[in-house]
Amino acid sequence: DQQVKQNSPSLSVQEGRISILNCDYTNSMFDYFLWYKKYPAEGPTFLISISSIKDKNEDGRFTVFLNKSAKHLSLHIVPSQPGDSAVYFCAASVAGGADGLTFGKGTHLIIQP
Amino acid sequence: DTAVSQTPKYLVTQMGNDKSIKCEQNLGHDTMYWYKQDSKKFLKIMFSYNNKELIINETVPNRFSPKSPDKAHLNLHINSLELGDSAVYFCASSFGQGTVTQYFGPGTRLLVL
């Protein structure tokens, strides 16, 4: 039973354009959401997060949007750069919970020149 | 000056052996975790641990045991290794639990033959 779903295993975007990665969740107890970026043979690197009290958080080229009613979040990268090619994981957690992060399966983003 | 480090990076061993993976963090965090990324690329929490409590994912076999000599270290001991234990194991750490950002190590690639 996947509580965090990333339905696109891969996404190809041209350099300079916007990349939009999507994530859906089913557990209404989740109230903190994170995006991690992962290169091959490395650990996940924290990218950006959002609390459930917000609907948008921005950090440079990265913006995360949260739609609580739809249980959906998305990561926008603009403009996309070649170094953005990686696997992006969506993750969620529960306030005060000690159960760690629940991850999606990841989306492989490929930035084409 | 690596924030979260793991050793070894690669581990190849025979079925039935006992092995350990070490994790150290120099971020001053009080909570550490072990995650397993299986062949389907799902990252799943195995343990979360701080000074006060150890939370074990109920699906983790008791052949796996975390040991924390101090706040900066959380080692993973695996007894009687099985073929299905082959995976990438990631250590992570954070301040507190719940709605916090976790920082990951580079992973240990375990192959059981």
Side-chain angles (χ1 to χ4, degrees), chain A residues 45-95:
Chain A
T45 301
F46 170 70
L47 205 54
I48 193 169
S49 63
I50 188 166
S51 165
S52 60
I53 61 173
K54 293 185 175 182
D55 55 15
K56 178 182 174 181
N57 189 25
E58 194 171 351
D59 184 2
R61 296 186 298 115
F62 303 92
T63 303
V64 55
F65 295 92
L66 175 62
N67 183 333
K68 277 193 70 178
S69 60
K71 294 192 177 67
H72 177 84
L73 64 154
S74 60
L75 174 69
H76 292 212
I77 306 173
V78 55
S80 299
Q81 298 174 354
D84 297 331
S85 295
V87 177
Y88 289 79
F89 288 96
C90 172
S93 66
V94 176

Side-chain angles (χ1 to χ4, degrees), chain A residues 2 31-32 34 36 38 40-44 46 49 89 93-101 103-105, chain B residues 9-10 33 35 37 40-43 45 48 53 55 90 97-107 109:
Chain A
Q2 283 180 256
D31 52 13
Y32 189 63
L34 309 92
Y36 284 86
K38 186 181 180 305
E42 294 185 11
F46 170 70
S49 63
F89 288 96
S93 66
V94 176
D99 297 337
L101 296 174
F103 280 86
K105 200 171 175 181
Chain B
K9 187 160 186 176
Y10 298 95
Y33 311 82
Y35 287 82
Q37 186 179 34
K40 296 182 181 177
K41 304 303 180 185
F42 276 112
L43 265 161
I45 183 74
S48 78
E53 62 180 341
I55 305 295
F90 291 98
Q97 299 171 331
T99 54
V100 295
T101 299
Q102 295 181 18
Y103 295 88
F104 284 78
R109 284 137 193 89

Side-chain angles (χ1 to χ4, degrees), chain B residues 59-82:
Chain B
T59 66
V60 175
N62 57 15
R63 299 181 295 103
F64 290 78
S65 57
K67 296 220 184 335
S68 180
D70 54 59
K71 274 178 60 172
H73 297 84
L74 184 66
N75 303 325
L76 182 64
H77 297 272
I78 316 170
N79 294 326
S80 303
L81 277 155
E82 299 178 358

